[in-house]
Amino acid sequence: MVKYLCIGFFALSTLISKGEIPAETIAKHANQIDTLVAGELRNRRLKMPAAANDTTLCRRLYLDIAGRPPTSDEIREYLKTKDRPALIKQLVNSEGYVHHMYSFWADLLRVKRNLNDNVGQLYGDAYIEWLKEQIRSNTPYNKLTKNLLGANGNIWDNPATGYLLRDLGMPLDNLSNTTQIFLGIDMACAQCHDHPFDEWTQMDFYKTAAFFAQVQTKNSQGGVKEHIKGLREEAKKMQTNGKKGIENKLNNYLRTIYEYGVDSKPNGRLRLPDDYAYRDADPKSIVYASAPYGTRVKESRNKSKREKDPHNLRRSFVDWVIADTNPTFALNITNRLWNHALGAPIISPMNNVMEDGEISVGKNRRLMEYLPKMFISVNYDIKGFLEIIYNTKTYQRVSWQGDLNDYVFQGPISRRLTASQLWDSFITLYLDNPDSVTPNYSNDQYKEMSRKDISEVTLQDAIDGLEKFNSLQKSTYSGLPKMGPWYAVRASHVNRPSNNLNVLIEFGRSDRRLVDNGSTEGSITQLLLLMNSPLVSALSNRNSALVKKIHSCENDTTKLFTLFYSIIGRSPTQDNVNTFKPYIAKGQYQDVIWALVNSHEAKFIN
Amino acid sequence: MKRKDFIRSTAYSLFGVSALGQSMGAPIKADPNSKVKSVIYIYLQGGMSHLDSFDPKENEEIKGTTKAIGTNVPGIQISEHLPKLAEIMDKIAIVRSMSSTAGAHKQGQYIARTSYQLRGSIIHPALGAWAAREVKRETELPGYVLISGPSNHPGAGYLPKKFSPLPIVDPNRGLANAKTDPKIDERLGLLNSVNKTANVKQPKIAEYVQFYDETLKLLNSSELNVFDLNKVDSKRRNDYGMNKIGQGCLLAKRLVKQGITFVEVENGGWDTHVNNFDKLSQKLPEVDTAVSALVADLESEGLLDSTLIAIATEFGRTPKINTNTGRDHHPAAYSSVLIGGGIKGGVVYGETDDRGQKVKKDKVTPQDFNATIGSALGLPMEKEVFSPSGRPFHIAGKGQPIKDILL
């Protein structure tokens, strides 16, 4: 029932060896993108806006690539050379890029420290750090996807299992997210009934979900479950005071260390729901997997083959997803990355790029055909793909501030900083080098703990282990610098309920319960925070890097420039100079910082 | 309807609010003739033991150390830990036949707050968000306030963010960041100078211009005082109990008096797997004092008929007492309570068996309970509402109001 638009992927076998994309390739692709954008503008008889000035662009590049604004020194440094390709190169290779892309991935994959919404305690620590490492080492996107969807093992050994464990106990929800995240296909409605827009039937959904029928989101090796149960029973019998009720905590701890993981069960089957209401099959009957569109991939009906290699079914799905020939795999991610850079996707909504069984036209069809091909030709290199976009004239134009109906990528959209960018801009003011502070993650130690054979764990071992686990958890942020009541760490290090998290959530950081659930809407409580919370006084106290810098400035003019550069990335106008001069002269920096932090420019990327 | 038509009918918007508003259909409004104008929704996190509170049993094996006492309504007995409520039983409706399908906290709380099951692909609005959206109010303050709420609270769910609850982390500290620096006017002068170069025609910046205006208006408003419990004399504060739930209820009363539609007071510590009886002999008297003071206060202000008080939780506790003198999760049967506006007093609805194990008569789901509250408030419970993704929902799911306890 689903026909799809074959967008004619040409075979691109020009394999580029590992490493960076050559400058001439970047320039060639950037140029082609600009041509395609210009073509669409011509078609619609729209004007091509001017290029952005250097200070605006410098702030934009830092925020968009490193997730934070430049410091005053970094702006001055850039203005010496104005070498844009060099700045882009420097930023995509910085640790800031890892922090900023982590927000992108965590929002998309719904990554949380307390990873699962259903079970009490399933720590995502290992998964989080693994994901950051993939960003740092720039794992090709097809390989990253394969690692996530195909992972097996205990979460401490193979943290990529976090993707499936995220929805432990809710495999159908997981699948419904998977098609949105990796394919840009929204089948959520079909989970319960045929799609109201006639695109997907409930049977389509179940056939796709059946690829995961043999997945088991628990480590079943060596009787883990039975051992944990035994230790739990033993703990229950302890009646000594103070240890009362410890069995639940022990149980959570033992499961965290030993039980969570992904495996395959030979006899796993998916059946239709009790209330399946369509004529093509009976309720509760077995569903055999087959891919919903593209190359037809089907489950073998051979039972012994199925049971002999229980990983095979899921593997065949993953191979289908990541194939160059899959019509939406590269398209989905390039649409998302384009949105990440420009502020708007080509096809909207990003979670559903198909319409009536065809790929949607979007805001620029030819561009949307070109980007996936280009991405495949650079071997699914995410960092390289973004580097190309940041080098386009399109990205480097003045920001679009008008009606979105007239917008066909005349430049990036003027937009509010995300909660993470805003938080990280305060941290940058406070620390100057915000990447210098890292919490004490203890993943190696947890992994070490999980090494011990569960059958040899005594009750006392388990109690000691729980204690150690708790103390490691508690020490995560200990010894870190504080900015007012908050830990001065970048947003990507804030992963559990804490004061910091509340600030981030106030400004709309995704709670990571749903795909891309962040928001940049304003609220009164946000502004109460900017106006009256301890934030401004913390930024103005003697531990603040910004204040130290001001004190080292030679004269009032440099002080004023440093404050404007640091907080809003531009020099003061004549009016600003006249208004602010008396405050600088009297050393009333807190009033100045208050005004700049509360300005519109501090909250927006232009 | 084809998807493309659906998408076309919602204005293209990257920024959510406007498109969301339109795809939600024309705004639907609560019944303006409803006598009930406000709800104070007290939520006890962890699962309040029905057996030690509103549904005590005679059976020695089950009751533990909890004794039952008579109330001012002949024939109705409640726990000895609730003596003050026992004296005003004639104003109270107890639902003893609550029954839920969720035996774990997260799932149970989610159903209690939203009337839907927890899913990984959508977040449903809490009842308070619906109330904020549907009920007209006179005050400038938001329609929904959440006192001591947890971080995983569903809030506005798929509704626009403006229906999110205003959070009050600690009732004793009131609205966070509401104290303005004395130099605010000078600072605003500086701010104006910086903002001169900003493009206020950019729609998102224009929104922030508006938010700054509203925030300054709020900071100058006398309404702000209602959040400040330091303005209340200490005797009144003591009447409610100097603890979180007591002060939460006092703040809730002040907010309701100011015209806020839905105030949710959350309270933790009810998950009594260990030392059930010791813990409840402390926790229940706090509720007893807070709620009885709240009822008396609302009544003396003439607000009890227009304010519905609800006490809800995610499940009850097992009749069997475990080896830690605790009780475990028991979703099959538990109790919830309604008092005041729109509700008959002196009523027990439903019944459990003599062990408190199963519902014997008139089973009530969390959805039914929410439908009862919504119905009293005049919310359009029958109306089908579409989420932004086009899925159809009702405010209380499939819940049906308990007609027998509604006035």
Side-chain angles (χ1 to χ4, degrees):
Chain A
M1 54 146 290
V2 171
K3 54 191 160 78
Y4 67 94
L5 182 72
C6 178
I7 52 176
F9 282 86
F10 48 79
L12 287 148
S13 48
T14 42
L15 284 176
I16 296 158
S17 60
K18 245 188 150 184
E20 291 171 0
I21 302 173
E24 57 271 26
T25 312
I26 292 178
K28 183 190 85 185
H29 286 306
N31 196 26
Q32 184 60 28
I33 290 171
D34 288 331
T35 306
L36 293 170
V37 169
E40 188 66 31
L41 282 171
R42 257 197 321 276
N43 287 347
R44 304 194 192 200
R45 293 167 202 276
L46 291 167
K47 228 173 44 202
M48 180 72 80
N53 70 40
D54 278 297
T55 43
T56 304
L57 196 78
C58 178
R59 182 167 185 272
R60 184 194 294 171
L61 283 169
Y62 269 88
L63 280 164
D64 281 349
I65 306 178
R68 61 163 180 97
T71 65
S72 54
D73 300 328
E74 285 167 332
I75 296 176
R76 293 190 178 105
E77 193 59 36
Y78 168 72
L79 291 177
K80 280 185 205 158
T81 62
K82 301 183 178 173
D83 185 340
R84 293 178 181 187
L87 178 61
I88 294 166
K89 179 76 75 191
Q90 175 202 325
L91 291 173
V92 294
N93 289 315
S94 70
E95 186 64 11
Y97 170 84
V98 178
H99 288 291
H100 188 48
M101 284 309 283
Y102 174 75
S103 294
F104 171 87
W105 286 111
D107 286 358
L108 187 59
L109 304 174
R110 302 147 64 237
V111 181
K112 303 190 300 170
R113 187 156 199 250
N114 201 346
L115 187 59
N116 185 284
D117 296 323
N118 311 306
V119 298
Q121 175 177 301
L122 200 176
Y123 284 108
D125 300 33
Y127 180 36
I128 289 169
E129 290 310 298
W130 175 86
L131 198 53
K132 287 180 186 167
E133 188 47 42
Q134 305 310 301
I135 298 167
R136 202 172 283 121
S137 56
N138 197 27
T139 305
Y141 177 65
N142 51 355
K143 192 175 160 203
L144 178 70
T145 305
K146 187 172 187 160
N147 288 342
L148 289 165
L149 295 176
N152 284 303
N154 174 304
I155 191 166
W156 303 106
D157 286 327
N158 185 4
T161 52
Y163 180 75
L164 289 174
L165 291 173
R166 172 67 184 81
D167 295 302
L168 180 150
M170 295 177 123
L172 296 179
D173 285 356
N174 186 267
L175 191 265
S176 145
N177 286 318
T178 294
T179 63
Q180 291 178 42
I181 293 168
F182 296 103
L183 298 169
I185 300 295
D186 185 356
M187 298 175 93
C189 296
Q191 193 171 329
C192 306
H193 48 77
D194 284 357
H195 201 285
F197 309 109
D198 293 324
E199 281 176 50
W200 308 108
T201 63
Q202 196 176 6
M203 186 59 92
D204 288 331
F205 180 87
Y206 271 82
K207 282 183 169 175
T208 314
F211 282 109
F212 291 81
Q214 285 169 291
V215 171
Q216 173 165 292
T217 38
K218 288 226 173 101
N219 183 5
S220 56
Q221 307 290 319
V224 171
K225 202 176 164 187
E226 292 70 27
H227 281 294
I228 292 178
K229 202 173 166 201
L231 287 166
R232 189 196 159 126
E233 288 306 312
E234 220 179 301
K236 234 179 178 174
K237 291 185 193 124
M238 295 201 327
Q239 289 290 340
T240 44
N241 248 346
K243 294 266 193 281
K244 240 182 179 183
I246 197 175
E247 71 267 14
N248 291 328
K249 286 178 187 144
L250 269 184
N251 182 54
N252 278 338
Y253 154 73
L254 289 166
R255 295 185 69 183
T256 299
I257 292 294
Y258 292 104
E259 199 184 280
Y260 295 125
V262 175
D263 201 356
S264 295
K265 47 186 172 188
N267 58 355
R269 281 288 181 201
L270 181 69
R271 288 172 185 275
L272 289 172
D274 309 354
D275 60 354
Y276 188 75
Y278 305 99
R279 268 187 287 175
D280 55 348
D282 295 329
K284 294 199 228 178
S285 57
I286 289 179
V287 188
Y288 291 91
S290 85
Y293 60 94
T295 318
R296 297 291 163 191
V297 176
K298 276 190 177 164
E299 175 179 355
S300 152
R301 302 272 176 132
N302 183 328
K303 189 167 175 246
S304 75
K305 209 168 150 188
R306 188 178 197 279
E307 296 188 353
K308 222 171 166 181
D309 182 6
H311 297 318
N312 184 51
L313 187 57
R314 176 160 46 118
R315 212 183 296 130
S316 67
F317 177 73
V318 178
D319 289 342
W320 171 79
V321 168
I322 68 170
D324 290 356
T325 50
N326 186 310
T328 63
F329 177 61
L331 181 141
N332 164 65
I333 190 68
T334 52
N335 191 39
R336 289 180 188 279
L337 290 171
W338 180 267
N339 169 67
H340 177 72
L342 275 292
I346 302 170
I347 297 179
S348 185
M350 290 186 285
N351 286 337
N352 200 29
V353 297
M354 273 194 184
E355 189 181 320
D356 301 335
E358 293 182 4
I359 287 165
S360 308
V361 176
K363 279 178 172 284
N364 186 330
R365 179 194 280 263
R366 293 183 61 205
L367 180 63
M368 193 70 267
E369 285 171 5
Y370 183 74
L371 293 179
K373 289 186 223 167
M374 175 182 112
F375 186 54
I376 296 171
S377 81
V378 298
N379 294 310
Y380 298 90
D381 176 345
I382 294 168
K383 194 190 275 191
F385 180 83
L386 287 170
E387 198 180 346
I388 293 169
I389 295 180
Y390 294 128
N391 273 291
T392 59
K393 292 198 181 81
T394 302
Y395 173 81
Q396 298 184 5
R397 290 207 171 86
V398 294
S399 65
W400 179 259
Q401 316 211 351
D403 189 337
L404 290 173
N405 290 311
D406 299 334
Y407 176 66
V408 277
F409 310 115
Q410 288 90 330
I413 286 184
S414 161
R415 57 201 192 269
R416 208 207 76 189
L417 272 65
T418 63
S420 298
Q421 285 169 323
L422 200 60
W423 175 258
D424 284 348
S425 63
F426 301 140
I427 296 296
T428 306
L429 295 174
Y430 194 72
L431 297 174
D432 209 48
N433 177 7
D435 301 338
S436 60
V437 177
T438 310
N440 320 301
Y441 296 116
S442 312
N443 292 330
D444 290 344
Q445 301 198 53
Y446 301 138
K447 189 172 169 178
E448 193 54 41
M449 288 157 91
S450 77
R451 288 259 175 274
K452 182 154 185 175
D453 191 341
I454 181 83
S455 64
E456 288 169 15
V457 173
T458 64
L459 182 57
Q460 191 56 48
D461 291 341
I463 291 170
D464 295 346
L466 171 63
E467 213 159 279
K468 185 175 173 195
F469 184 85
N470 286 341
S471 82
L472 287 173
Q473 289 279 315
K474 264 188 212 135
S475 71
T476 310
Y477 292 93
S478 66
L480 299 181
K482 283 198 141 186
M483 177 177 75
W486 305 289
Y487 286 111
V489 292
R490 290 202 62 164
S492 82
H493 290 306
V494 181
N495 279 302
R496 64 173 163 187
S498 68
N499 281 338
N500 294 39
L501 189 59
N502 293 340
V503 175
L504 282 162
I505 286 177
E506 194 62 71
F507 282 95
R509 183 165 95 168
S510 171
D511 56 9
R512 292 165 185 169
R513 284 192 281 180
L514 303 181
V515 173
D516 279 342
N517 202 28
S519 150
T520 53
E521 287 175 42
S523 73
I524 290 176
T525 40
Q526 280 173 11
L527 301 189
L528 288 174
L529 203 146
L530 290 181
M531 293 167 82
N532 299 334
S533 81
L535 175 73
V536 167
S537 60
L539 292 175
S540 316
N541 74 24
R542 61 199 161 84
N543 296 322
S544 156
L546 177 61
V547 171
K548 288 180 195 162
K549 213 181 258 188
I550 294 165
H551 284 308
S552 73
C553 288
E554 285 166 11
N555 55 50
D556 286 1
T557 308
T558 335
K559 285 179 181 175
L560 188 60
F561 268 71
T562 300
L563 283 161
F564 269 70
Y565 269 166
S566 301
I567 305 176
I568 61 175
R570 67 158 167 93
S571 45
T573 62
Q574 193 53 51
D575 177 76
N576 297 151
V577 173
N578 297 341
T579 315
F580 281 81
K581 261 266 165 90
Y583 289 82
I584 301 289
K586 282 185 275 178
Q588 288 176 249
Y589 306 128
Q590 185 162 341
D591 297 326
V592 175
I593 293 172
W594 186 94
L596 288 168
V597 162
N598 275 284
S599 71
H600 299 311
E601 282 164 281
K603 294 186 211 56
F604 280 81
I605 311 179
N606 283 318
Chain B
M1 192 192 222
K2 288 274 187 200
R3 176 175 289 271
K4 60 185 167 199
D5 300 327
F6 176 74
I7 299 218
R8 214 165 281 143
S9 73
T10 69
Y12 178 77
S13 164
L14 288 162
F15 298 111
V17 190
S18 55
L20 197 60
Q22 290 183 19
S23 67
M24 299 290 301
I28 42 179
K29 287 275 171 258
D31 177 3
N33 299 321
S34 170
K35 266 190 176 170
V36 181
K37 303 292 178 205
S38 299
V39 173
I40 295 175
Y41 179 89
I42 300 164
Y43 191 84
L44 307 178
Q45 305 159 4
M48 174 186 67
S49 168
H50 55 305
L51 302 163
D52 304 296
S53 59
F54 293 98
D55 193 8
K57 297 293 174 185
E58 285 302 315
N59 189 324
E60 292 293 332
E61 238 176 81
I62 286 157
K63 69 181 191 181
T65 56
T66 299
K67 294 185 188 74
I69 55 170
T71 65
N72 74 347
V73 177
I76 300 180
Q77 287 202 320
I78 58 176
S79 153
E80 61 174 335
H81 301 310
L82 303 167
K84 293 173 187 161
L85 290 178
E87 284 169 32
I88 53 166
M89 184 62 218
D90 58 318
K91 303 185 201 305
I92 301 176
I94 302 173
V95 181
R96 282 186 177 156
S97 51
M98 295 295 302
S99 185
S100 166
T101 51
H105 298 291
K106 285 179 184 172
Q107 287 81 348
Q109 291 175 0
Y110 190 87
I111 294 179
R113 292 179 180 128
T114 67
S115 303
Y116 282 87
Q117 290 203 14
L118 178 65
R119 305 303 291 256
S121 53
I122 191 163
I123 299 173
H124 305 85
L127 190 56
W130 287 115
R133 181 178 186 254
E134 302 302 333
V135 179
K136 199 167 175 291
R137 58 182 182 277
E138 302 297 326
T139 169
E140 299 274 342
L141 297 173
Y144 180 20
V145 175
L146 175 61
I147 301 172
S148 311
S151 62
N152 67 351
H153 195 283
Y158 55 72
L159 292 177
K161 293 266 185 281
K162 63 177 171 181
F163 302 119
S164 295
L166 179 71
I168 305 291
V169 179
D170 177 353
N172 290 309
R173 292 168 60 188
L175 182 63
N177 305 317
K179 199 162 178 286
T180 313
D181 191 278
K183 285 198 288 186
I184 180 79
D185 289 338
E186 255 183 89
R187 288 179 170 184
L188 288 171
L190 293 175
L191 178 58
N192 282 338
S193 167
V194 189
N195 278 348
K196 269 181 194 163
T197 41
N199 176 12
V200 294
K201 284 190 189 140
Q202 202 267 61
K204 300 309 286 183
I205 295 181
E207 267 179 46
Y208 268 95
V209 172
Q210 181 125 28
F211 277 123
Y212 268 95
D213 286 350
E214 284 176 22
T215 307
L216 290 166
K217 208 158 82 187
L218 175 69
L219 287 171
N220 289 323
S221 151
S222 56
E223 289 199 307
L224 204 57
N225 288 333
V226 297
F227 291 98
D228 187 356
L229 293 185
N230 293 318
K231 300 261 188 295
V232 183
D233 70 70
S234 60
K235 188 193 166 299
R236 174 64 57 89
R237 294 190 69 174
N238 279 322
D239 287 347
Y240 278 84
M242 290 306 288
N243 48 58
K244 270 199 160 175
I245 193 165
Q247 300 304 295
C249 285
L250 170 58
L251 180 56
K253 184 239 130 187
R254 288 169 64 83
L255 297 175
V256 157
K257 190 182 171 193
Q258 196 66 29
I260 287 176
T261 309
F262 200 101
V263 185
E264 184 166 336
V265 183
E266 296 260 344
N267 190 255
W270 295 87
D271 194 19
T272 52
H273 289 285
V274 178
N275 296 338
N276 174 72
F277 301 96
D278 289 354
K279 281 185 187 155
L280 292 182
S281 67
Q282 288 168 21
K283 300 282 302 175
L284 284 166
E286 286 182 12
V287 173
D288 189 47
T289 300
V291 177
S292 55
L294 178 62
V295 172
D297 204 356
L298 285 170
E299 198 164 30
S300 73
E301 303 253 18
L303 293 170
L304 190 58
D305 289 341
S306 59
T307 307
L308 167 57
I309 304 166
I311 305 175
T313 188
E314 61 261 32
F315 39 62
R317 314 291 312 179
T318 47
K320 185 172 185 288
I321 299 164
N322 68 25
T323 52
N324 297 318
T325 346
R327 295 190 195 270
D328 300 321
H329 301 178
H330 192 70
Y334 62 104
S335 301
S336 292
V337 169
L338 294 168
I339 310 169
I343 299 296
K344 288 179 193 164
V347 176
V348 169
Y349 184 83
E351 192 183 333
T352 54
D353 60 20
D354 57 9
R355 290 177 54 83
Q357 181 98 25
K358 283 188 183 143
V359 172
K360 224 166 102 182
K361 209 178 94 191
D362 298 331
K363 185 184 271 192
V364 175
T365 64
Q367 288 87 342
D368 296 333
F369 188 71
N370 288 340
T372 312
I373 298 171
S375 186
L377 191 58
L379 299 184
M381 309 308 291
E382 300 297 322
K383 183 105 183 176
E384 196 168 61
V385 189
F386 291 89
S387 76
S389 58
R391 298 201 223 172
F393 294 102
H394 287 93
I395 292 178
K398 291 181 177 147
Q400 292 301 320
I402 312 167
K403 296 241 163 68
D404 290 2
I405 60 173
L406 285 171
L407 282 176

